[in-house]
Amino acid sequence: MNVNDYKRQLRFVIAIEITILCVMFFVAYIFWNQVCNGQLTACLQSTETSIFEITVLALIRPFVFTPLPVFLWIIGQSYSGVTAFFLGLLSSILGCLSIFLLAKIFGKNFVEAWLKTNLPQTLRFIRSQDYKLSFLLRLIPFSPFDLSSLVFGVLDFRFKSVLF
């Protein structure tokens, strides 16, 4: 292959990734603008969020491409101290589990069959070390929580390892 073909492919992939990120940002912005009635800044500083609303938003937060720190900011503005800590913990667990379980269903049908056929030893290694991998990725601050939960579900990690 020619070097120009590689450059063209690289540009195409980068353009697709930038497009996906822009769409994700746009979806998150529209969602939070609707939730906050068009006043996003006031909503982030609001103290009127109930525990039920936080629980519902925690379940759908990963699917509207909202980073966990933004959601934790809302909780921190609404509550303080131990209550905010436990609500933040609950919301991160609910978000993690919602995306993990959905990814596990899809991964079992598509990814696992491909890995068993093409990379069986890699799949066995991943499954034997899933608790170490999940713990390590949770410690890396640059690894997004939702993205790693998605990967854990697709690769069929044990529920206990991911929850821990």
Side-chain angles (χ1 to χ4, degrees):
M1 256 186 145
N2 191 352
V3 173
N4 289 329
D5 291 338
Y6 287 126
K7 286 181 181 180
R8 191 174 62 208
Q9 287 177 356
L10 181 64
R11 285 187 201 123
F12 184 71
V13 168
I14 290 173
I16 289 175
E17 289 177 4
I18 289 172
T19 304
I20 290 171
L21 286 173
C22 289
V23 168
M24 289 170 47
F25 176 75
F26 187 66
V27 167
Y29 181 77
I30 288 175
F31 174 79
W32 285 106
N33 236 359
Q34 290 299 317
V35 168
C36 298
N37 297 324
Q39 299 173 345
L40 188 60
T41 312
C43 183
L44 290 176
Q45 297 173 350
S46 172
T47 59
E48 302 171 4
T49 311
S50 71
I51 293 177
F52 177 74
E53 290 173 330
I54 286 177
T55 305
V56 171
L57 287 174
L59 284 171
I60 62 173
R61 178 198 55 80
F63 302 106
V64 292
F65 313 114
T66 304
L68 184 60
V70 172
F71 195 68
L72 294 177
W73 176 268
I74 293 171
I75 293 172
Q77 292 294 321
S78 300
Y79 299 94
S80 62
V82 176
T83 308
F85 174 76
F86 282 113
L87 282 175
L89 185 64
L90 174 71
S91 67
S92 65
I93 289 173
L94 286 176
C96 166
L97 293 182
S98 64
I99 203 162
F100 169 77
L101 293 174
L102 190 64
K104 190 166 183 133
I105 292 168
F106 288 118
K108 202 153 207 60
N109 295 330
F110 301 111
V111 176
E112 185 177 355
W114 186 86
L115 282 174
K116 279 183 179 176
T117 305
N118 297 316
L119 301 168
Q121 292 176 334
T122 304
L123 183 62
R124 277 193 299 269
F125 173 73
I126 287 173
R127 286 207 176 135
S128 69
Q129 303 298 319
D130 63 351
Y131 63 96
K132 291 178 186 174
L133 291 171
S134 62
F135 186 70
L136 180 67
L137 277 177
R138 296 290 190 218
L139 289 177
I140 298 172
F142 301 111
S143 172
F145 201 74
D146 298 327
L147 181 62
S148 56
S149 298
L150 178 74
V151 170
F152 299 156
V154 167
L155 292 177
D156 197 26
F157 279 27
R158 289 177 290 210
F159 180 74
K160 174 177 70 171
S161 300
V162 174
L163 186 60
F164 172 73

